[in-house]
Amino acid sequence: TIYMGMVPELAIAMLACARIGAVHSIIFGGFSAHAIADRVDDARSKIILTCDGGWRRGSVVPLKDNVDAACEMTSHIEKVVMLRRCGNQVRLDADRDIDWHDLVAGQDDACECEHMESEDMLFLLYTSGSTGKPKGIVHTTGGYMVHTATTARYVFNLVPGRNQVYWCTADIGWVTGHSYIVYGLLPNRVPTLMYEGAPNFPEEDRFWDIVQRHKVTQFYT
């Protein structure tokens, strides 16, 4: 299970799971500890990747604290990997918690790609739970990859080498972010932008300021 802010390591974690054939289940960073525990129990996740906190409207969202509380509600979690992002105070469990940077330091640059069948599960993504118990939706490897790469290419007119910069403002915690920030974009070889924060902070023109500064040519919101 991945419960992080919109940082590059979130996309890195997704792709690392896909490369070794591990199913990932991403939870939107705005969800509560109870929501984490419900999804962990259903997926039987043993590992959670998280951050100490995430930035939102100039304040820190206490992601690690939420994970700690969720771990009190479920018995499935064996390890928590935490990325230091905001520098906020967190509680560390010496037997359970692992620092992201300590974990990746000294690792080999090469990782053999696991061979997967087209119908093997790539990820689980849960419904919001607004109308009842969250339901885990299975997405398989082959069809999902072809669908997202093709729709991204033709809907957004993505052409490699044309100096395009693409930005989808969604959060990766939702299927739009899975599809049109990560999995559908990378096969099209067009640079993509990620943003952590609100659309109207510190000012109402936040999105347009980002578009101008980074010369965004394809904007999806």
Side-chain angles (χ1 to χ4, degrees), residues 47-160:
I47 300 167
I48 292 186
L49 307 179
T50 191
C51 303
D52 52 3
W55 291 111
R56 185 80 177 178
R57 299 189 185 281
S59 300
V60 174
V61 180
L63 300 177
K64 176 61 163 57
D65 289 352
N66 291 342
V67 168
D68 289 341
C71 287
E72 298 292 326
M73 305 177 199
T74 177
S75 59
H76 284 106
I77 297 302
E78 297 173 4
K79 296 293 180 184
V80 174
V81 179
M82 186 195 74
L83 173 74
R84 294 192 181 275
R85 165 65 174 155
C86 298
N88 51 304
Q89 287 290 112
V90 294
R91 180 173 60 85
L92 295 176
D93 183 319
D95 295 323
R96 185 196 66 197
D97 297 345
I98 302 168
D99 184 278
W100 173 293
H101 296 291
D102 291 343
L103 183 64
V104 302
Q107 296 292 334
D108 198 318
D109 289 342
C111 176
E112 190 70 22
C113 186
E114 186 70 21
H115 176 86
M116 305 299 290
E117 299 296 332
S118 63
E119 288 300 297
D120 285 342
M121 196 188 323
L122 176 64
F123 64 85
L124 269 174
L125 185 61
Y126 284 82
T127 58
S128 63
S130 56
T131 58
K133 187 178 182 345
K135 293 165 281 293
I137 311 302
V138 172
H139 291 71
T140 56
T141 303
Y144 174 77
M145 291 294 293
V146 171
H147 172 80
T148 55
T150 304
T151 52
R153 178 181 177 183
Y154 290 116
V155 171
F156 304 117
N157 191 31
L158 302 178
V159 182

Side-chain angles (χ1 to χ4, degrees), residues 173-219:
W174 308 110
V175 73
T176 299
H178 280 59
S179 302
Y180 299 117
I181 296 176
V182 182
Y183 286 118
L185 262 290
L186 293 177
N188 283 292
R189 308 188 311 281
V190 170
T192 182
L193 188 147
M194 285 176 63
Y195 168 61
E196 179 186 33
N200 56 355
F201 183 87
E203 301 292 344
E204 298 292 335
D205 66 347
R206 180 63 166 168
F207 276 3
W208 312 121
D209 176 61
I210 291 171
V211 166
Q212 185 173 42
R213 282 190 289 118
H214 296 284
K215 299 179 173 59
V216 172
T217 57
Q218 267 83 346
F219 180 61

